[in-house]
Amino acid sequence: MTTLPRRYHITTFGCQMNKADSERMAGILEDMGFAWSEDPNDADLILYNTCTIRDNAEQKVYSYLGRQAHRKRLQPNLTLVVAGCVAQQEGEALLRRVPELDLVMGPQHANRLRDLLEQVFAGSQVAAVEPVHIMEDITKPRRDSNVTAWVNVIYGCNERCTYCVVPNVRGVEQSRTPEAIRAEMEELGRQGYKEVTLLGQNIDAYGRDLPGATAEGRHQHTLTDLLHYVQDVPGIERLRFATSHPRYFTERLIRACSELPKVCEHFHIPFQSGDNDILKAMSRGYTHEKYRRIIDTIRQYMPDASITADAIVGFPGETEAQFEKTLKLVEDIGFDLVNTAAYSPRPGTPAALWENQLSEEVKADRLQRLNHLVSIKAGERSERYLGRIEEVLVEEQNTKDPSQLMGRTSGNRLTFFPGNIAELKGQLVKVKITEFRAFSLTGELDLGN
């Protein structure tokens, strides 16, 4: 009698770094003989890859965990794992709070999943949250797409923004070597991937911790150098990178993006607030004037580039006048998309302890007003695509309308158009844009190419 493979289910909260970590851990589990289960209730191993940036993500983890802890009391062979930033922050306290947990592991331990699970299967309850030096990863991730892939280039963050828990949970900056990054990308190219997004919590810091400076005294390992080094990997047609920090964004990087044909005309640069006093309280290390100069420089080199950002409203002490400066920045720049959030206090961060917290009502009101403006401006930005022929990388079928395919423009606008997925998946096709909305486009294949 053959035994069915053990099944696993991963639920991912939070950022792209977490998605990339989940894909790596899925790769490890499949190497160990586990098969993916769509339904967590059919899985023998459940892994929550958690995020602590916002309070509601953390609360969600606890409610999911409660349900599975109950199931484990009935099925003792169920393995429960919490990975990621909540795991790092709470550590052994999580094991005390949810004794049914088998393994709590911080994001730096993703590569060690096999070793840690072997300890669990030998009967231990394990908390792996001590800082480690990240080992070069040789396991192949199970990618959620077979057209686009994430590649981590730098882990951790040395910034100390007063609202952010990331440095506490993801550790100090550790850059991977250019050779390791290129080797991973070459393997992806061989496997048929067409687009790679280089990832880092603060990607512009890439290379600062690697040895080696040139004779002119300039460091030879910067994000710009890395783009030049990997831009010709065979099979990879498009390159993106995220997330950038305005403090380190250079004209040299912008120039490289405009010159290298595979680098997409899309920049994701969080501004967080349009008010200098709030930026200072956040310890962001730049002014709104500097931020505007960066965007002006991008638009000088690439007038059509897509600009997306992150913003926080309701930071402790933010006045109505200061919030209006954020609205003014959004109005003036005209972003293609802004990820917005109301400030929520995170444990272990300075801003969480300040007395001048704002009420939930004020935060919700500001968030709604900002979202309304973001949507209007995004619609104005989308209008420029109308009637144009855009190159779109075909990713998948539109789940809501199977007659349509979906993909993204170089500027990262989601685009829908009729077509056959079997013929076109993974292809770069020309699409004539016939309709625009704030955050997506519709078009038809341009067969005249």
Side-chain angles (χ1 to χ4, degrees):
M1 183 184 120
T2 56
T3 57
L4 288 168
R6 292 173 297 173
R7 294 163 70 78
Y8 75 95
H9 180 88
I10 298 180
T11 300
T12 307
F13 302 86
C15 68
Q16 291 172 324
M17 297 289 283
N18 266 11
K19 291 196 182 102
D21 288 346
S22 288
E23 290 179 353
R24 279 217 319 285
M25 292 189 286
I28 293 170
L29 289 168
E30 293 191 1
D31 285 350
M32 292 175 73
F34 280 85
W36 166 255
S37 164
E38 197 61 48
D39 179 356
N41 295 315
D42 287 344
D44 309 290
L45 182 148
I46 293 176
L47 188 152
Y48 295 113
N49 194 5
T50 58
C51 167
T52 144
I53 290 282
R54 305 201 186 121
D55 198 40
N56 59 353
E58 207 171 312
Q59 294 317 314
K60 239 189 250 174
V61 176
Y62 283 119
S63 75
Y64 282 29
L65 257 181
R67 274 173 269 169
Q68 295 301 339
H70 175 70
R71 192 179 138 213
K72 179 157 181 168
R73 292 194 279 277
L74 309 171
Q75 293 168 258
N77 60 351
L78 175 65
T79 305
L80 288 183
V81 181
V82 174
C85 294
V86 173
Q88 183 68 37
Q89 184 176 287
E90 302 291 320
E92 291 179 3
L94 249 177
L95 295 179
R96 290 194 291 276
R97 184 166 170 177
V98 186
E100 292 80 5
L101 270 173
D102 296 287
L103 169 60
V104 171
M105 53 187 281
Q108 299 177 342
H109 294 266
N111 300 347
R112 295 184 55 219
L113 181 61
R114 179 192 283 264
D115 302 346
L116 297 170
L117 282 174
E118 281 167 359
Q119 293 174 42
V120 166
F121 297 145
S124 305
Q125 196 182 29
V126 182
V129 291
E130 68 284 358
V132 288
H133 189 75
I134 288 159
M135 299 154 294
E136 201 45 70
D137 186 22
I138 42 74
T139 59
K140 296 292 164 276
R142 185 195 76 95
R143 311 268 174 185
D144 278 345
S145 154
N146 45 19
V147 177
T148 66
W150 321 109
V151 171
N152 278 313
V153 303
I154 179 171
Y155 300 93
C157 184
N158 291 359
E159 299 302 304
R160 281 279 178 238
C161 304
T162 52
Y163 53 82
C164 184
V165 80
V166 164
N168 303 346
V169 295
R170 283 192 174 264
V172 296
E173 287 166 3
Q174 293 181 44
S175 300
R176 297 176 67 196
T177 65
E179 295 74 18
I181 294 162
R182 185 171 171 113
E184 185 177 349
M185 287 177 62
E186 285 172 348
E187 179 58 30
L188 290 167
R190 282 192 288 274
Q191 291 171 15
Y193 288 90
K194 293 295 198 302
E195 178 181 293
V196 162
T197 302
L198 303 176
L199 284 184
Q201 220 72 49
N202 173 12
I203 197 162
D204 302 275
Y206 174 77
R208 284 195 295 199
D209 55 327
L210 294 174
T214 59
E216 302 82 58
R218 187 178 67 71
H219 205 289
Q220 66 195 20
H221 296 306
T222 65
L223 177 59
T224 308
D225 298 307
L226 181 66
L227 289 176
H228 280 284
Y229 180 65
V230 300
Q231 56 89 28
D232 60 348
V233 169
I236 303 298
E237 305 282 343
R238 280 183 172 180
L239 265 177
R240 302 183 186 277
F241 58 91
T243 292
S244 299
H245 191 302
R247 188 188 289 190
Y248 306 105
F249 210 85
T250 64
E251 184 166 353
R252 187 170 166 259
L253 175 62
I254 296 167
R255 195 165 60 244
C257 294
S258 72
E259 288 167 359
L260 297 173
K262 291 184 184 179
V263 177
C264 290
E265 292 198 334
H266 172 220
F267 296 87
H268 184 74
I269 317 174
F271 62 87
Q272 307 302 12
S273 169
D275 179 81
N276 288 347
D277 289 337
I278 293 289
L279 287 169
K280 192 170 180 187
M282 289 175 165
S283 294
R284 289 291 287 168
Y286 57 87
T287 59
H288 78 88
E289 290 89 352
K290 175 173 180 182
Y291 186 87
R292 288 166 187 267
R293 284 197 298 276
I294 292 169
I295 306 303
D296 287 345
T297 308
I298 291 172
R299 287 183 169 156
Q300 279 161 24
Y301 280 92
M302 288 168 274
D304 202 46
S306 224
I307 316 276
T308 61
D310 299 340
I312 295 170
V313 303
F315 189 74
E318 182 187 64
T319 64
E320 174 62 26
Q322 288 172 322
F323 167 66
E324 283 170 11
K325 289 185 183 168
T326 295
L327 291 178
K328 179 153 174 40
L329 185 77
V330 171
E331 177 68 52
D332 291 351
I333 286 177
F335 291 94
D336 292 77
L337 168 74
V338 182
N339 300 319
T340 60
Y343 170 77
S344 71
R346 310 312 303 127
T349 60
L353 304 174
W354 297 347
E355 304 280 298
N356 51 353
Q357 306 288 333
L358 303 191
S359 72
E360 293 307 316
E361 293 73 27
V362 168
K363 290 195 273 193
D365 170 66
R366 288 181 187 171
L367 186 59
Q368 189 196 352
R369 285 156 62 199
L370 178 59
N371 285 343
H372 180 64
L373 179 61
V374 165
S375 180
I376 290 170
K377 300 306 285 188
E380 290 172 9
R381 292 288 290 158
S382 269
E383 192 171 357
R384 75 189 192 277
Y385 290 113
L386 194 60
R388 281 194 348 198
I389 292 172
E390 283 290 314
E391 196 169 60
V392 172
L393 177 61
V394 182
E395 292 180 37
E396 54 197 287
Q397 217 163 13
N398 178 0
T399 44
K400 298 196 180 94
D401 176 355
S403 72
Q404 286 186 327
L405 306 183
M406 54 194 270
R408 289 173 189 278
T409 66
S410 166
N412 215 34
R413 265 287 183 268
L414 198 55
T415 306
F416 301 99
F417 53 96
N420 179 338
I421 192 70
E423 282 172 27
L424 296 176
K425 184 163 185 172
Q427 305 289 316
L428 282 163
V429 297
K430 298 274 199 296
V431 175
K432 181 161 183 164
I433 305 304
T434 54
E435 284 175 54
F436 69 92
R437 289 167 297 284
F439 305 112
S440 64
L441 307 168
T442 301
E444 54 204 29
L445 280 170
D446 179 58
L447 300 171
N449 58 345

